[in-house]
Amino acid sequence: MSTGRVMDWRPIFGHDEPYDAQVDGIETAVDTAREGGFSVVEGACGTGKTMIALTAGISLVRDPDTDYERVLVLTSVKQQLRQFETDLETINENLPDDAEPVSGLTLVGKADVCPYNRERAAGIDDGNVYDRCETLRDRTRDLTGEGGETTAASLAAQARSQQIGLADSGSRGGGATFLETAGEATPYPPDLPSYGEGGPVGAETEYCPFYARYLEDLPDEGSDGDAAEVVPYDFTGAGMVTPEDLVARSARHGTCPHSVMGAALGHVEVVVGNYYHAFDPRTVGSFTGALVDESTFVVCDEAHMLEPRVRDLVSDGVADATLRDAETELSRVIQPVKFEREGRQAEGGSQTADADLVRAELNDSDVSYEELNRTLEFLRDLRGELDRRVTAYLDRTHRGWKSNLTDLADAEIPLRDPAEPAEDELTEWAREAGYGDADWVRAEAVGAVVARILNEAEDEERTRAAPAVGRVLGEWYRRGHTDYFREIELERTWNEVEPVDSWRRAYTARLALHNCVPSDAIGSRLAAFGGGVLMSATLEPIEAFTEVTGLEYLEREEDRPVVERRYGLHFPEENRESFAVAAPKFTYDNRGRPGEENPTREHYADAIERIGRLPGNVLVGMPSYAEADWTAGVLEDRLSKPVLLDAASDDETTESLKTEFFAGEGKVLVTSLRGTLTEGVDYSGDRLSAAVVCGVPIVNTSSPRTKAVRRAYDDEFEDGFTYALTIPAVRKGRQAIGRVIRSPEDVGVRVLLDERYARESWDSVRPYLPDDGEFQPVSPDMLELGLERFRSKLESDSSV
């Protein structure tokens, strides 16, 4: 695709000399994006993919002959997000003296930047920060808007004056206490200020002084000012602004960091975010929509995760508890009018004022009082049917479950045969119960009206259940029955409030609507951008990747070029050994349950032991956590070096385990290939000397959801098993293997242990490995010889 002409990207490139692959990658990306197309890049570690993407995108943004205004980077891995920040800083450090720094911004959620939440002040924490934020913003706007009691400037000044007055009074040792965050003191106290203090008890209104200052800084309506004027720093000189930088700058100025982020994101040259910033319909609709257009050059990093992540983002569902809360909200809106019509009064006084509010809101909408009642009836019956189905499932599969609630596990209850697309049983039940199309569709409008009435009545902007329920019911009705799969999900929890014989004591139930084939959603969103790069170390086979992401459709039907590039590992070959070992297939039929003694398990135990004896740290990836547990037990009996076991756990526990693995002498870390330690983790230097992948980590094929995805892929791509299961599994294995060699100095062994990697057969996965000859097939006996040869090399090198 390269035209051979000299591109104006070298002044932007952050290093002295690019690799050959970087030259080709940058020029390909620039040329392709000029034609409105996308480059798809598989590049091994060390290719410099981050710098390729940033250099290409920034050069297009700074080229006056293009319409590109920004680069939007999307990644699902926090470590990669940091890498983009670091590479942009490198670019800025090496720009020509007369060039302005490239402005950048990283997008994060309110919880990460709210000063009160960061310091756990004013009763705000991760559990309530979003609702509290919306309420405080609404109150601040109400106080300062048209017809409000005061001004934004006055509110901010009042909050500041509380501290000044405290200092002048000599209280607390003669000094005021200021809220501090990100190493900066804010102008405000740690507690939320209130407007109207000194009036009747309960008359004070809490507000957010940071948001008040943001409103104060906004240009007047009708003026020539730009919303970017509220950003408390100069874009042209700030360079890359990380979330910590943004909070510090905003806190010092006394303004709202999240609002500043929203004001800045449309004005910087590089925006770094997560997939949901471009693919989650609600996030795009409420926050990042201005970025999703033809003036944006998009970079999808770790693009092998694009399909599963977007599938989750464009799927939907509603929990049983949310249905219950929506029922309650509807009842609270219906009751005042009902009591008035019946000439009754609720306990505590007349409901006339509330009834007036309900009627006024209904008159301003196209929702009738009868529809409120009808939707309430529908939700009650829907919850009753949900209860009946869960109870019937447990009676069928867990006899005596009421006396053994602690023994229940997560479960799926399909609402149709996942292998045979058809109308789901819940839709069929609703029709037979007398609920028609309008009951599903109108629930969305009803939910919106209910939320508006309750927020008005309580003078508090809270997230209500009714709109979410209405949205899901509408989608449930509209979506097809092949591309979407409907089921009841049961997640193991424990709720002491529920009766001792109720399944709700042990489970959280959810009506789930799964998007099985997200290619349309991905392709249509990519089409909204001007062009871009999709890249990963593990995209092969790229032809399959372009199909499942909708890129092939863009090229075929919209005439937008899609150009593929493959860049292999270019580090010294003598520093690594790569084996594809023809051990018996590590399938359930061959290995049985963990703990069984059979030839297959003995083969794997012996091979993993040999690899584990190599000097330094060894990573062992198993198809599941159960198999990881078995492997760790075997190795503890056979090895003298420490054996660490990773289990499904929280981020803090995983980070602690990773730190322990990196510290001190060599160890063996055993984990699941579907966990977080085999992907996006930096094992560079001497952190890892070997990695072994055992088996092909295909997900549980007996899951109803997996069966539905496979069937939908059969219809869409013909070979559903390969596209939906095999290729993603091989990519998981390749990600784990890729942890070993991360730089020219790294030395290590990479082992794929399963004959499907080594031999051609009906279920071979060898065609889905890169065609670079790296992983040569060997027998288990030859593995020992290869390991011994490499061990000798390590020992001789260390003695030099």
Side-chain angles (χ1 to χ4, degrees):
M1 187 70 197
S2 178
T3 62
R5 60 187 172 81
V6 177
M7 307 301 297
D8 188 27
W9 54 265
R10 289 183 184 268
I12 294 166
F13 187 75
H15 302 289
D16 291 338
E17 287 296 329
Y19 303 133
D20 291 344
Q22 288 179 310
V23 173
D24 181 69
I26 293 167
E27 296 190 356
T28 297
V30 169
D31 288 347
T32 305
R34 284 180 180 277
E35 298 179 24
F38 296 87
S39 303
V40 179
V41 178
E42 171 166 306
C45 179
T47 302
K49 297 186 294 295
T50 305
M51 192 60 78
I52 288 174
L54 285 176
T55 302
I58 294 166
S59 69
L60 287 164
V61 169
R62 294 203 162 185
D63 187 338
D65 292 332
T66 79
D67 293 326
Y68 288 105
E69 297 179 2
R70 72 190 63 83
V71 179
L72 173 61
V73 174
L74 306 169
T75 181
S76 61
V77 179
K78 283 187 177 180
Q79 180 174 305
Q80 286 302 105
L81 184 147
R82 302 279 93 83
Q83 186 62 54
F84 277 98
E85 293 176 342
T86 300
D87 274 20
L88 182 53
E89 289 168 354
T90 299
I91 287 173
N92 280 331
E93 289 168 2
N94 292 282
L95 284 172
D97 293 339
D98 59 347
E100 290 184 351
V102 179
S103 57
L105 179 70
T106 300
L107 303 183
V108 292
K110 288 180 183 177
D112 295 309
V113 295
C114 170
Y116 294 115
N117 184 66
R118 286 168 56 92
E119 307 306 324
R120 297 297 186 264
I124 295 177
D125 55 40
D126 286 346
N128 65 14
V129 61
Y130 291 94
D131 282 343
R132 291 279 277 150
C133 175
E134 289 307 309
T135 296
L136 290 167
R137 283 185 174 191
D138 282 345
R139 289 176 178 173
T140 308
R141 283 193 295 264
D142 288 345
L143 287 169
T144 62
E146 187 176 346
E149 302 174 37
T150 185
T151 65
S154 296
L155 289 182
Q158 178 183 314
R160 289 193 298 270
S161 66
Q162 288 180 6
Q163 295 300 78
I164 295 169
L166 185 60
D168 290 345
S169 71
S171 302
R172 300 186 186 179
T177 301
F178 294 91
L179 178 68
E180 295 184 15
T181 191
E184 295 286 342
T186 75
Y188 313 121
D191 296 322
L192 286 168
S194 297
Y195 177 78
E197 291 176 342
V201 175
E204 301 90 353
T205 300
E206 278 188 332
Y207 65 91
C208 177
F210 294 96
Y211 190 61
R213 178 58 190 267
Y214 172 77
L215 294 177
E216 175 191 350
D217 291 343
L218 280 174
D220 293 335
E221 255 186 77
S223 73
D224 294 332
D226 190 287
E229 292 178 11
V230 303
V231 179
Y233 62 87
D234 181 6
F235 292 121
T236 59
M240 179 67 227
V241 176
T242 67
E244 196 73 6
D245 296 333
L246 178 73
V247 173
R249 293 168 187 263
S250 301
R252 189 186 313 136
H253 188 69
T255 191
C256 170
H258 192 263
S259 297
V260 168
M261 183 191 304
L265 64 84
H267 299 270
V268 297
E269 292 170 283
V270 178
V271 180
V272 183
N274 198 295
Y275 282 144
Y276 64 79
H277 287 117
F279 291 98
D280 176 45
R282 287 171 285 282
T283 301
V284 172
S286 63
F287 188 55
T288 54
L291 304 180
V292 183
D293 65 17
E294 65 279 358
S295 65
T296 297
F297 177 91
V298 68
V299 177
C300 292
D301 185 44
E302 300 296 331
H304 66 282
M305 291 300 297
L306 185 59
E307 178 192 6
R309 290 294 165 87
V310 174
R311 178 183 289 124
D312 289 341
L313 291 173
V314 296
S315 296
D316 217 330
V318 62
D320 171 60
T322 308
L323 290 170
R324 178 200 60 210
D325 292 344
E327 274 189 64
T328 301
E329 292 168 4
L330 275 158
S331 296
R332 290 172 57 199
V333 170
I334 290 169
Q335 192 181 64
V337 177
K338 178 181 178 183
F339 280 8
E340 184 186 66
R341 290 182 176 183
E342 295 174 354
R344 299 165 53 197
Q345 285 188 347
E347 186 177 341
S350 171
Q351 294 292 311
T352 304
D354 289 335
D356 290 341
L357 171 62
V358 173
R359 278 194 299 271
E361 289 291 344
L362 292 178
N363 287 337
D364 288 342
S365 72
D366 64 346
V367 173
S368 67
Y369 177 73
E370 288 69 30
E371 282 185 305
L372 295 179
N373 281 287
R374 180 68 173 176
T375 302
L376 176 59
E377 180 185 348
F378 186 24
L379 294 189
R380 283 174 175 166
D381 287 348
L382 187 60
R383 283 198 77 214
E385 179 64 9
L386 173 63
D387 177 71
R388 187 191 70 77
R389 287 180 175 273
V390 174
T391 301
Y393 165 80
L394 293 174
D395 287 343
R396 186 172 64 254
T397 59
H398 297 78
R399 289 185 179 276
W401 60 271
K402 292 183 179 180
S403 58
N404 292 290
L405 290 175
T406 56
D407 294 337
L408 299 177
D410 291 357
E412 297 176 71
I413 307 175
L415 294 171
R416 66 164 171 86
D417 181 348
E420 295 295 334
E423 183 180 71
D424 67 279
E425 295 169 2
L426 202 62
T427 300
E428 183 181 359
W429 159 83
R431 185 174 57 255
E432 293 175 353
Y435 296 106
D437 299 350
D439 295 303
W440 294 97
V441 175
R442 293 294 292 164
E444 195 161 4
V446 170
V449 169
V450 166
R452 200 156 57 240
I453 291 171
L454 292 178
N455 288 339
E456 180 72 19
E458 297 176 5
D459 191 26
E460 183 176 12
E461 188 73 21
R462 286 177 47 200
T463 301
R464 306 289 177 176
V469 169
R471 185 192 70 250
V472 173
L473 294 185
E475 291 293 284
W476 195 282
Y477 169 79
R478 286 187 289 268
R479 296 302 181 182
H481 291 273
T482 300
D483 291 354
Y484 284 80
F485 177 64
R486 295 151 175 84
E487 67 177 1
I488 298 170
E489 295 176 341
L490 297 179
E491 181 182 358
R492 187 73 176 82
T493 54
W494 193 254
N495 188 348
E496 296 282 356
V497 176
E498 298 290 347
V500 294
D501 61 347
S502 169
W503 59 262
R504 289 186 171 96
R505 192 177 181 89
Y507 277 130
T508 295
R510 182 173 180 267
L511 292 176
L513 179 65
H514 296 291
N515 184 326
C516 297
V517 186
S519 55
D520 286 350
I522 299 172
S524 61
R525 183 47 49 86
L526 290 175
F529 295 107
V533 174
L534 295 89
M535 61 191 197
S536 170
T538 55
L539 288 184
E540 289 283 15
I542 292 181
E543 295 80 3
F545 174 79
T546 60
E547 281 194 79
V548 300
T549 55
L551 283 171
E552 184 190 65
Y553 178 86
L554 293 185
E555 183 175 35
R556 185 180 67 247
E557 302 297 331
E558 298 193 13
D559 198 27
R560 299 185 66 172
V562 175
V563 180
E564 302 169 9
R565 286 291 185 269
R566 298 165 177 84
Y567 306 118
L569 200 61
H570 64 274
F571 300 140
E573 291 186 16
E574 61 270 19
N575 284 356
R576 61 186 184 269
E577 289 280 4
S578 307
F579 304 104
V581 184
K585 299 172 186 177
F586 201 63
T587 59
Y588 183 81
D589 288 343
N590 285 348
R591 68 180 187 253
R593 293 179 180 277
E596 285 188 18
E597 295 184 8
N598 56 55
T600 296
R601 287 196 178 274
E602 191 61 30
H603 273 295
Y604 278 81
D606 291 344
I608 298 168
E609 177 192 349
R610 292 177 189 133
I611 299 163
R613 292 187 183 281
L614 288 171
N617 284 344
V618 177
L619 179 69
V620 180
M622 303 301 294
S624 68
Y625 283 113
E627 292 296 345
D629 186 57
W630 168 78
T631 304
V634 169
L635 295 179
E636 284 172 352
D637 292 339
R638 298 187 179 200
L639 297 180
S640 58
K641 65 166 58 173
V643 177
L644 306 180
L645 174 63
D646 178 34
S649 57
D650 56 55
D651 290 343
E652 186 176 343
T653 303
T654 301
E655 284 298 313
S656 176
L657 180 69
K658 189 168 65 175
T659 300
E660 183 181 359
F661 183 53
F662 292 159
E665 298 298 320
K667 306 174 187 68
V668 176
L669 173 59
V670 189
T671 185
S672 165
L673 290 163
R674 310 204 73 80
T676 58
L677 288 174
T678 58
E679 195 166 337
V681 178
D682 184 9
Y683 292 97
S684 60
D686 60 358
R687 289 177 170 182
L688 197 63
S689 62
V692 54
V693 166
C694 298
V696 181
I698 294 173
V699 297
N700 178 11
T701 56
S702 65
S703 160
R705 191 186 318 164
T706 302
K707 290 180 179 179
V709 170
R710 178 181 174 181
R711 171 53 199 266
Y713 270 52
D714 277 335
D715 287 357
E716 188 75 16
F717 307 115
E718 294 186 5
D719 189 353
F721 192 90
T722 296
Y723 275 55
L725 301 172
T726 304
I727 291 173
V730 174
R731 288 176 181 151
K732 286 286 184 185
R734 292 183 60 206
Q735 281 287 322
I737 287 294
R739 300 304 99 195
V740 181
I741 305 297
R742 313 290 292 175
S743 76
E745 293 75 32
D746 286 353
V747 178
V749 175
R750 307 177 298 167
V751 181
L752 296 171
L753 192 57
D754 188 305
E755 68 178 50
R756 287 172 289 180
Y757 294 112
R759 295 174 177 167
E760 298 294 341
S761 63
W762 68 271
D763 58 351
S764 172
V765 299
R766 195 161 180 80
Y768 312 124
L769 299 176
D771 186 21
D772 54 13
E774 282 273 342
F775 287 89
Q776 291 298 318
V778 298
S779 67
D781 292 340
M782 291 300 294
L783 172 64
E784 176 64 22
L785 292 175
L787 293 177
E788 185 57 39
R789 184 176 66 247
F790 198 72
R791 184 184 291 110
S792 299
K793 181 186 184 309
L794 288 175
E795 291 170 353
S796 65
D797 288 348
S798 63
S799 65
V800 174

